[in-house]
Amino acid sequence: MAQPTSQPPVKRQFVFNPLKRPMPYIGLILGILIIIFQGTIRQYTANVVGGWLISNLKSSTQGNYTLKYDFVRFDVFTRELRMKNFELKLDTTVTTPDEYLEDYTNLIDLSTPTVVLKIESLWDLLINDKLKIAYIGLEQPNVDLIRSANISE
């Protein structure tokens, strides 16, 4: 009868050895960082642009107009900011339409399901707090224009 020969134990080789094959790990880490970076930039830009639009509108209209929107989404790669249920209306807590039209020639109420702003320079927005818009798109806008009776033609 033959005795079984004893073989030395087989050394296990790990398939996922980061020291021998670092590229998949570097790619995975970079992918995770890009996802985190894009999410952070998205949230920051949406908050900055939304707040900037509201404050700039209040200061340029002496608080007569109000801006409302439900949802803001910013895409880092296309540099597009989308606002859902966008409304630009006269703030009736400050003044009535008749009082407003005594001082100004036009009263505008704007509402649209979607507004798209294409930002020209993301760098200027993030670093210098300057908003440069290359394109504004409105989806099915509803614009009401009321002209003052005091206009001389």
PDB file of all heavy atoms in Angstrom, residues 87-109:
ATOM      1  N   GLU A  87     -41.677  81.499  -9.196  1.00  0.00           N
ATOM      2  CA  GLU A  87     -42.661  82.589  -9.214  1.00  0.00           C
ATOM      3  C   GLU A  87     -41.977  83.903  -8.850  1.00  0.00           C
ATOM      4  O   GLU A  87     -41.270  83.990  -7.853  1.00  0.00           O
ATOM      5  CB  GLU A  87     -43.781  82.335  -8.203  1.00  0.00           C
ATOM      6  CG  GLU A  87     -44.707  81.221  -8.558  1.00  0.00           C
ATOM      7  CD  GLU A  87     -45.851  81.073  -7.567  1.00  0.00           C
ATOM      8  OE1 GLU A  87     -45.851  81.782  -6.534  1.00  0.00           O
ATOM      9  OE2 GLU A  87     -46.722  80.242  -7.819  1.00  0.00           O
ATOM     10  N   LEU A  88     -42.235  84.911  -9.659  1.00  0.00           N
ATOM     11  CA  LEU A  88     -41.793  86.274  -9.399  1.00  0.00           C
ATOM     12  C   LEU A  88     -43.047  87.124  -9.358  1.00  0.00           C
ATOM     13  O   LEU A  88     -43.711  87.308 -10.368  1.00  0.00           O
ATOM     14  CB  LEU A  88     -40.850  86.754 -10.514  1.00  0.00           C
ATOM     15  CG  LEU A  88     -40.400  88.198 -10.448  1.00  0.00           C
ATOM     16  CD1 LEU A  88     -39.519  88.421  -9.241  1.00  0.00           C
ATOM     17  CD2 LEU A  88     -39.661  88.575 -11.717  1.00  0.00           C
ATOM     18  N   LYS A  89     -43.390  87.609  -8.173  1.00  0.00           N
ATOM     19  CA  LYS A  89     -44.659  88.311  -7.992  1.00  0.00           C
ATOM     20  C   LYS A  89     -44.458  89.549  -7.117  1.00  0.00           C
ATOM     21  O   LYS A  89     -43.491  89.658  -6.381  1.00  0.00           O
ATOM     22  CB  LYS A  89     -45.681  87.399  -7.335  1.00  0.00           C
ATOM     23  CG  LYS A  89     -46.026  86.185  -8.177  1.00  0.00           C
ATOM     24  CD  LYS A  89     -47.327  85.593  -7.780  1.00  0.00           C
ATOM     25  CE  LYS A  89     -47.654  84.403  -8.629  1.00  0.00           C
ATOM     26  NZ  LYS A  89     -48.314  84.716  -9.859  1.00  0.00           N
ATOM     27  N   LEU A  90     -45.437  90.441  -7.219  1.00  0.00           N
ATOM     28  CA  LEU A  90     -45.455  91.617  -6.359  1.00  0.00           C
ATOM     29  C   LEU A  90     -45.716  91.171  -4.922  1.00  0.00           C
ATOM     30  O   LEU A  90     -46.604  90.357  -4.667  1.00  0.00           O
ATOM     31  CB  LEU A  90     -46.551  92.583  -6.819  1.00  0.00           C
ATOM     32  CG  LEU A  90     -46.643  93.895  -6.050  1.00  0.00           C
ATOM     33  CD1 LEU A  90     -45.426  94.753  -6.349  1.00  0.00           C
ATOM     34  CD2 LEU A  90     -47.913  94.625  -6.427  1.00  0.00           C
ATOM     35  N   ASP A  91     -44.940  91.684  -3.992  1.00  0.00           N
ATOM     36  CA  ASP A  91     -45.124  91.370  -2.583  1.00  0.00           C
ATOM     37  C   ASP A  91     -46.259  92.228  -2.039  1.00  0.00           C
ATOM     38  O   ASP A  91     -46.079  93.416  -1.774  1.00  0.00           O
ATOM     39  CB  ASP A  91     -43.827  91.611  -1.816  1.00  0.00           C
ATOM     40  CG  ASP A  91     -43.873  91.053  -0.406  1.00  0.00           C
ATOM     41  OD1 ASP A  91     -44.929  90.510  -0.013  1.00  0.00           O
ATOM     42  OD2 ASP A  91     -42.855  91.137   0.288  1.00  0.00           O
ATOM     43  N   THR A  92     -47.423  91.640  -1.872  1.00  0.00           N
ATOM     44  CA  THR A  92     -48.603  92.404  -1.455  1.00  0.00           C
ATOM     45  C   THR A  92     -48.572  92.751   0.028  1.00  0.00           C
ATOM     46  O   THR A  92     -49.414  93.528   0.475  1.00  0.00           O
ATOM     47  CB  THR A  92     -49.894  91.629  -1.778  1.00  0.00           C
ATOM     48  OG1 THR A  92     -49.827  90.344  -1.176  1.00  0.00           O
ATOM     49  CG2 THR A  92     -50.076  91.494  -3.276  1.00  0.00           C
ATOM     50  N   THR A  93     -47.622  92.215   0.770  1.00  0.00           N
ATOM     51  CA  THR A  93     -47.487  92.642   2.164  1.00  0.00           C
ATOM     52  C   THR A  93     -46.803  93.998   2.261  1.00  0.00           C
ATOM     53  O   THR A  93     -46.914  94.679   3.271  1.00  0.00           O
ATOM     54  CB  THR A  93     -46.699  91.605   2.988  1.00  0.00           C
ATOM     55  OG1 THR A  93     -45.386  91.476   2.442  1.00  0.00           O
ATOM     56  CG2 THR A  93     -47.394  90.260   2.982  1.00  0.00           C
ATOM     57  N   VAL A  94     -46.089  94.395   1.205  1.00  0.00           N
ATOM     58  CA  VAL A  94     -45.385  95.675   1.188  1.00  0.00           C
ATOM     59  C   VAL A  94     -46.248  96.764   0.545  1.00  0.00           C
ATOM     60  O   VAL A  94     -46.358  97.869   1.056  1.00  0.00           O
ATOM     61  CB  VAL A  94     -44.036  95.541   0.446  1.00  0.00           C
ATOM     62  CG1 VAL A  94     -43.347  96.885   0.312  1.00  0.00           C
ATOM     63  CG2 VAL A  94     -43.149  94.546   1.155  1.00  0.00           C
ATOM     64  N   THR A  95     -46.842  96.437  -0.587  1.00  0.00           N
ATOM     65  CA  THR A  95     -47.624  97.425  -1.334  1.00  0.00           C
ATOM     66  C   THR A  95     -48.732  96.719  -2.115  1.00  0.00           C
ATOM     67  O   THR A  95     -48.634  95.545  -2.408  1.00  0.00           O
ATOM     68  CB  THR A  95     -46.730  98.229  -2.300  1.00  0.00           C
ATOM     69  OG1 THR A  95     -47.511  99.230  -2.928  1.00  0.00           O
ATOM     70  CG2 THR A  95     -46.091  97.359  -3.340  1.00  0.00           C
ATOM     71  N   THR A  96     -49.760  97.475  -2.459  1.00  0.00           N
ATOM     72  CA  THR A  96     -50.839  96.937  -3.287  1.00  0.00           C
ATOM     73  C   THR A  96     -50.517  97.212  -4.756  1.00  0.00           C
ATOM     74  O   THR A  96     -49.714  98.103  -5.054  1.00  0.00           O
ATOM     75  CB  THR A  96     -52.186  97.587  -2.922  1.00  0.00           C
ATOM     76  OG1 THR A  96     -52.127  98.975  -3.238  1.00  0.00           O
ATOM     77  CG2 THR A  96     -52.516  97.393  -1.459  1.00  0.00           C
ATOM     78  N   PRO A  97     -51.140  96.491  -5.672  1.00  0.00           N
ATOM     79  CA  PRO A  97     -50.875  96.748  -7.093  1.00  0.00           C
ATOM     80  C   PRO A  97     -51.202  98.187  -7.512  1.00  0.00           C
ATOM     81  O   PRO A  97     -50.471  98.774  -8.314  1.00  0.00           O
ATOM     82  CB  PRO A  97     -51.775  95.740  -7.812  1.00  0.00           C
ATOM     83  CG  PRO A  97     -51.927  94.626  -6.843  1.00  0.00           C
ATOM     84  CD  PRO A  97     -51.934  95.260  -5.496  1.00  0.00           C
ATOM     85  N   ASP A  98     -52.265  98.765  -6.972  1.00  0.00           N
ATOM     86  CA  ASP A  98     -52.603 100.148  -7.339  1.00  0.00           C
ATOM     87  C   ASP A  98     -51.549 101.134  -6.850  1.00  0.00           C
ATOM     88  O   ASP A  98     -51.174 102.071  -7.569  1.00  0.00           O
ATOM     89  CB  ASP A  98     -53.976 100.518  -6.778  1.00  0.00           C
ATOM     90  CG  ASP A  98     -55.095  99.714  -7.429  1.00  0.00           C
ATOM     91  OD1 ASP A  98     -54.918  99.316  -8.605  1.00  0.00           O
ATOM     92  OD2 ASP A  98     -56.121  99.475  -6.764  1.00  0.00           O
ATOM     93  N   GLU A  99     -51.072 100.949  -5.637  1.00  0.00           N
ATOM     94  CA  GLU A  99     -50.021 101.828  -5.110  1.00  0.00           C
ATOM     95  C   GLU A  99     -48.728 101.665  -5.905  1.00  0.00           C
ATOM     96  O   GLU A  99     -48.023 102.646  -6.162  1.00  0.00           O
ATOM     97  CB  GLU A  99     -49.750 101.508  -3.640  1.00  0.00           C
ATOM     98  CG  GLU A  99     -50.865 101.882  -2.703  1.00  0.00           C
ATOM     99  CD  GLU A  99     -50.609 101.382  -1.287  1.00  0.00           C
ATOM    100  OE1 GLU A  99     -49.670 100.574  -1.085  1.00  0.00           O
ATOM    101  OE2 GLU A  99     -51.353 101.780  -0.377  1.00  0.00           O
ATOM    102  N   TYR A 100     -48.424 100.439  -6.295  1.00  0.00           N
ATOM    103  CA  TYR A 100     -47.212 100.178  -7.066  1.00  0.00           C
ATOM    104  C   TYR A 100     -47.282 100.861  -8.428  1.00  0.00           C
ATOM    105  O   TYR A 100     -46.306 101.461  -8.890  1.00  0.00           O
ATOM    106  CB  TYR A 100     -46.998  98.670  -7.219  1.00  0.00           C
ATOM    107  CG  TYR A 100     -45.737  98.306  -7.955  1.00  0.00           C
ATOM    108  CD1 TYR A 100     -44.516  98.273  -7.297  1.00  0.00           C
ATOM    109  CD2 TYR A 100     -45.755  98.019  -9.310  1.00  0.00           C
ATOM    110  CE1 TYR A 100     -43.349  97.950  -7.962  1.00  0.00           C
ATOM    111  CE2 TYR A 100     -44.596  97.701  -9.992  1.00  0.00           C
ATOM    112  CZ  TYR A 100     -43.400  97.660  -9.308  1.00  0.00           C
ATOM    113  OH  TYR A 100     -42.242  97.351  -9.971  1.00  0.00           O
ATOM    114  N   LEU A 101     -48.443 100.782  -9.083  1.00  0.00           N
ATOM    115  CA  LEU A 101     -48.590 101.354 -10.415  1.00  0.00           C
ATOM    116  C   LEU A 101     -48.642 102.882 -10.403  1.00  0.00           C
ATOM    117  O   LEU A 101     -48.484 103.513 -11.448  1.00  0.00           O
ATOM    118  CB  LEU A 101     -49.829 100.778 -11.104  1.00  0.00           C
ATOM    119  CG  LEU A 101     -49.688  99.324 -11.544  1.00  0.00           C
ATOM    120  CD1 LEU A 101     -51.003  98.785 -12.039  1.00  0.00           C
ATOM    121  CD2 LEU A 101     -48.600  99.172 -12.583  1.00  0.00           C
ATOM    122  N   GLU A 102     -48.850 103.503  -9.241  1.00  0.00           N
ATOM    123  CA  GLU A 102     -48.761 104.963  -9.148  1.00  0.00           C
ATOM    124  C   GLU A 102     -47.316 105.423  -9.308  1.00  0.00           C
ATOM    125  O   GLU A 102     -47.063 106.501  -9.840  1.00  0.00           O
ATOM    126  CB  GLU A 102     -49.320 105.449  -7.814  1.00  0.00           C
ATOM    127  CG  GLU A 102     -50.821 105.356  -7.708  1.00  0.00           C
ATOM    128  CD  GLU A 102     -51.321 105.757  -6.326  1.00  0.00           C
ATOM    129  OE1 GLU A 102     -50.495 106.186  -5.477  1.00  0.00           O
ATOM    130  OE2 GLU A 102     -52.530 105.627  -6.087  1.00  0.00           O
ATOM    131  N   ASP A 103     -46.363 104.599  -8.839  1.00  0.00           N
ATOM    132  CA  ASP A 103     -44.954 104.977  -8.885  1.00  0.00           C
ATOM    133  C   ASP A 103     -44.210 104.390 -10.081  1.00  0.00           C
ATOM    134  O   ASP A 103     -43.219 104.964 -10.541  1.00  0.00           O
ATOM    135  CB  ASP A 103     -44.249 104.523  -7.605  1.00  0.00           C
ATOM    136  CG  ASP A 103     -44.811 105.207  -6.370  1.00  0.00           C
ATOM    137  OD1 ASP A 103     -45.303 106.342  -6.498  1.00  0.00           O
ATOM    138  OD2 ASP A 103     -44.760 104.600  -5.286  1.00  0.00           O
ATOM    139  N   TYR A 104     -44.645 103.246 -10.572  1.00  0.00           N
ATOM    140  CA  TYR A 104     -43.935 102.554 -11.652  1.00  0.00           C
ATOM    141  C   TYR A 104     -44.873 102.324 -12.822  1.00  0.00           C
ATOM    142  O   TYR A 104     -46.091 102.331 -12.679  1.00  0.00           O
ATOM    143  CB  TYR A 104     -43.379 101.211 -11.159  1.00  0.00           C
ATOM    144  CG  TYR A 104     -42.411 101.365 -10.014  1.00  0.00           C
ATOM    145  CD1 TYR A 104     -42.824 101.159  -8.701  1.00  0.00           C
ATOM    146  CD2 TYR A 104     -41.101 101.739 -10.244  1.00  0.00           C
ATOM    147  CE1 TYR A 104     -41.936 101.300  -7.646  1.00  0.00           C
ATOM    148  CE2 TYR A 104     -40.205 101.889  -9.197  1.00  0.00           C
ATOM    149  CZ  TYR A 104     -40.625 101.672  -7.899  1.00  0.00           C
ATOM    150  OH  TYR A 104     -39.752 101.827  -6.872  1.00  0.00           O
ATOM    151  N   THR A 105     -44.302 102.096 -13.999  1.00  0.00           N
ATOM    152  CA  THR A 105     -45.123 101.975 -15.214  1.00  0.00           C
ATOM    153  C   THR A 105     -45.654 100.568 -15.444  1.00  0.00           C
ATOM    154  O   THR A 105     -46.722 100.401 -16.014  1.00  0.00           O
ATOM    155  CB  THR A 105     -44.304 102.390 -16.444  1.00  0.00           C
ATOM    156  OG1 THR A 105     -43.135 101.584 -16.519  1.00  0.00           O
ATOM    157  CG2 THR A 105     -43.938 103.846 -16.381  1.00  0.00           C
ATOM    158  N   ASN A 106     -44.926  99.539 -15.042  1.00  0.00           N
ATOM    159  CA  ASN A 106     -45.327  98.164 -15.323  1.00  0.00           C
ATOM    160  C   ASN A 106     -45.315  97.317 -14.062  1.00  0.00           C
ATOM    161  O   ASN A 106     -44.446  97.465 -13.208  1.00  0.00           O
ATOM    162  CB  ASN A 106     -44.376  97.510 -16.333  1.00  0.00           C
ATOM    163  CG  ASN A 106     -44.422  98.165 -17.669  1.00  0.00           C
ATOM    164  OD1 ASN A 106     -45.471  98.626 -18.102  1.00  0.00           O
ATOM    165  ND2 ASN A 106     -43.286  98.223 -18.338  1.00  0.00           N
ATOM    166  N   LEU A 107     -46.273  96.418 -14.011  1.00  0.00           N
ATOM    167  CA  LEU A 107     -46.331  95.414 -12.946  1.00  0.00           C
ATOM    168  C   LEU A 107     -46.252  94.050 -13.625  1.00  0.00           C
ATOM    169  O   LEU A 107     -47.043  93.755 -14.520  1.00  0.00           O
ATOM    170  CB  LEU A 107     -47.635  95.537 -12.155  1.00  0.00           C
ATOM    171  CG  LEU A 107     -47.934  94.441 -11.148  1.00  0.00           C
ATOM    172  CD1 LEU A 107     -46.924  94.478 -10.021  1.00  0.00           C
ATOM    173  CD2 LEU A 107     -49.327  94.597 -10.591  1.00  0.00           C
ATOM    174  N   ILE A 108     -45.290  93.254 -13.236  1.00  0.00           N
ATOM    175  CA  ILE A 108     -45.063  91.961 -13.886  1.00  0.00           C
ATOM    176  C   ILE A 108     -45.225  90.846 -12.853  1.00  0.00           C
ATOM    177  O   ILE A 108     -44.639  90.911 -11.768  1.00  0.00           O
ATOM    178  CB  ILE A 108     -43.651  91.891 -14.495  1.00  0.00           C
ATOM    179  CG1 ILE A 108     -43.490  92.950 -15.571  1.00  0.00           C
ATOM    180  CG2 ILE A 108     -43.372  90.506 -15.058  1.00  0.00           C
ATOM    181  CD1 ILE A 108     -42.094  93.077 -16.105  1.00  0.00           C
ATOM    182  N   ASP A 109     -46.009  89.846 -13.215  1.00  0.00           N
ATOM    183  CA  ASP A 109     -46.106  88.606 -12.451  1.00  0.00           C
ATOM    184  C   ASP A 109     -45.661  87.488 -13.379  1.00  0.00           C
ATOM    185  O   ASP A 109     -46.198  87.336 -14.469  1.00  0.00           O
ATOM    186  CB  ASP A 109     -47.530  88.341 -11.973  1.00  0.00           C
ATOM    187  CG  ASP A 109     -47.904  89.196 -10.782  1.00  0.00           C
ATOM    188  OD1 ASP A 109     -46.999  89.758 -10.153  1.00  0.00           O
ATOM    189  OD2 ASP A 109     -49.100  89.309 -10.489  1.00  0.00           O
TER     190      ASP A 109
END
